[in-house]
Amino acid sequence: MSLLSDLINLNLSETTEKIIAEYIWIGGSGMDLRSKARTLKGPITDVSQLPKWNYDGSSTGQAPGEDSEVILYPQAIFKDPFRKGNNILVMCDCYTPQGDPIPTNKRYQAAKIFQDPAVAAEEPWYGIEQEYTLLQKDVKWPLGWPVGGFPGPQGPYYCSAGADKSFGRDIVDAHYKACLYAGINISGINGEVMPGQWEFQVGPTVGIASGDQVWVARYILERITEIAGVVLTFDPKPIPGDWNGAGAHTNYSTKSMREDGGYEVIKAAIEKLKLKHKEHIAAYGEGNERRLTGRHETADINTFSWGVANRGASVRVGRETEKDGKGYFEDRRPASNMDPYVVTSMIAETTILSKP
């Protein structure tokens, strides 16, 4: 096994200018991440240097067998924390051979919203709190839980330390460092309320970069859990009952919100979100009704509410924002399995482009 490890860790730059580019895309379910690698002449410093590629869309639920070719358009590059050196990860979106975005390509529409001059002028910032749960591979039961049984009640696990309270920290720390290495603006991690559940935060990021970075951070986490022999789930309520669900709270601000007088802009934006509550809920993740029950730090899915420092509201405004009269707010409705391209662009569209 030591020879295998040595070969995996070979430094290609010592013998060749060629690099390995891992092309990543989102599959037909909207949550399955796919990737494949190709050899290119390096180094690659800009996404414009990368060629398009293709794959068999009939094997990912994105094209029929008789016309299965889907084209990958490179959109963002990151350093590869697995192969290291000059090797890269490439986030792509997907098109037909005629150049039309396929139905599961949510990035295309998001990019159009972020390119709107009114949106671009507001420089929308995002900070996404991605929660997830680690499961034991063979039994699909949370890491650290007795097989077929339950741990003690919630309380001692949030941000905890100790072998009887914190499960999977090696995976979490490996992911944290790998994201920093890759160039993702990961801003922190913490253990969550339910044992075996964790969170990482990505941001602040601007516009379409938020979606790119969250998706690549998810991909890196999938790869690390694969190595560790642990199953990763983004299910918004992996365990029924008196256990917290998993969300993707989305912190948001515009230039106007960050400037003096911004608190009034924030309140006007929240009012716009209230008017489109049903549309946002429909786009905020599958199975979210199991999570947004009004319990476990959530608001009821059918009722929009907001408040200062209220973690039981749909939208929370921080005390500091209220005190300063400017800042940001947190949309607490998105589920852990939401598409960040959809959520970030929808918030921008509703708060900047829609008329009250």
Side-chain angles (χ1 to χ4, degrees):
M1 291 301 290
S2 61
L3 176 59
L4 181 60
S5 179
D6 289 344
L7 291 171
I8 289 172
N9 292 312
L10 278 176
N11 183 357
L12 297 182
S13 62
E14 293 177 353
T15 58
T16 179
E17 290 185 352
K18 293 179 179 178
I19 66 155
I20 301 172
E22 189 80 26
Y23 279 47
I24 304 165
W25 71 96
I26 301 159
S29 75
M31 274 304 292
D32 56 319
L33 282 158
R34 311 289 180 123
S35 74
K36 60 178 184 173
R38 67 183 301 174
T39 306
L40 297 171
K41 184 178 179 181
I44 300 290
T45 57
D46 190 85
V47 73
S48 63
Q49 297 173 260
L50 291 165
K52 296 172 185 176
W53 205 9
N54 65 75
Y55 67 93
D56 172 15
S58 69
S59 295
T60 62
Q62 293 170 295
E66 64 273 12
D67 187 15
S68 65
E69 193 167 282
V70 178
I71 311 302
L72 293 169
Y73 286 31
Q75 299 291 359
I77 58 175
F78 301 85
K79 292 176 68 177
D80 186 338
F82 303 101
R83 296 187 176 106
K84 304 191 184 87
N86 292 324
N87 304 301
I88 56 174
L89 304 177
V90 184
M91 190 66 208
C92 305
D93 61 352
C94 306
Y95 296 80
T96 66
Q98 292 74 38
D100 300 316
I102 65 172
T104 54
N105 181 352
K106 305 304 182 185
R107 191 188 190 281
Y108 176 81
Q109 185 60 33
K112 285 179 65 176
I113 292 169
F114 286 122
Q115 288 162 5
D116 185 289
V119 175
E122 283 289 352
E123 298 173 14
W125 291 3
Y126 298 91
I128 295 179
E129 305 170 26
Q130 176 68 71
E131 294 179 339
Y132 60 93
T133 308
L134 300 174
L135 305 177
Q136 301 169 57
K137 183 179 177 181
D138 295 326
V139 293
K140 302 293 178 68
W141 199 237
L143 204 64
W145 291 36
V147 176
F150 295 86
Q154 294 183 153
Y157 309 108
Y158 172 71
C159 295
S160 64
D164 58 341
K165 296 180 286 293
S166 181
F167 312 110
R169 189 184 299 276
D170 52 348
I171 292 170
V172 175
D173 275 350
H175 175 250
Y176 195 173
K177 290 182 177 180
C179 285
L180 287 171
Y181 179 94
I184 293 167
N185 194 28
I186 185 170
S187 48
I189 56 97
N190 61 268
E192 269 303 330
V193 176
M194 189 183 87
Q197 193 175 84
W198 292 82
E199 172 184 303
F200 65 88
Q201 302 94 33
V202 173
T205 48
V206 181
I208 198 70
S210 178
D212 289 338
Q213 292 194 24
V214 170
W215 274 116
V216 174
R218 286 175 172 178
Y219 173 80
I220 291 171
L221 185 55
E222 288 276 17
R223 289 280 304 273
I224 290 171
T225 53
E226 171 191 325
I227 293 166
V230 170
V231 173
L232 169 66
T233 179
F234 292 107
D235 190 296
K237 186 72 174 180
I239 304 296
D242 195 15
W243 304 98
N244 275 36
H249 302 156
T250 301
N251 300 276
Y252 170 72
S253 72
T254 63
K255 185 178 180 184
S256 299
M257 294 175 191
R258 297 187 293 269
E259 294 176 343
D260 290 342
Y263 194 46
E264 294 305 313
V265 181
I266 288 171
K267 289 193 286 186
I270 292 172
E271 190 60 32
K272 288 182 178 181
L273 290 174
K274 178 181 179 180
L275 295 174
K276 294 199 171 185
H277 177 62
K278 287 186 178 178
E279 294 94 322
H280 279 254
I281 287 293
Y284 273 16
E286 189 176 342
N288 212 8
E289 72 283 350
R290 294 183 281 118
R291 168 181 163 260
L292 295 180
T293 61
R295 300 181 63 216
H296 305 112
E297 302 179 62
T298 70
D300 180 80
I301 194 169
N302 297 308
T303 307
F304 183 89
S305 60
W306 77 277
V308 177
N310 184 359
R311 282 180 163 76
S314 308
V315 171
R316 179 184 69 87
V317 175
R319 289 280 181 208
E320 190 174 1
T321 294
E322 181 189 42
K323 174 176 168 290
D324 294 343
K326 60 184 176 182
Y328 70 97
F329 66 82
E330 175 192 46
D331 191 339
R332 297 179 59 81
R333 296 171 296 172
S336 50
N337 60 359
M338 64 80 158
D339 187 325
Y341 292 135
V342 172
V343 169
T344 56
S345 62
M346 194 174 194
I347 292 173
E349 184 177 35
T350 295
T351 60
I352 299 171
L353 298 180
S354 69
K355 304 300 179 185

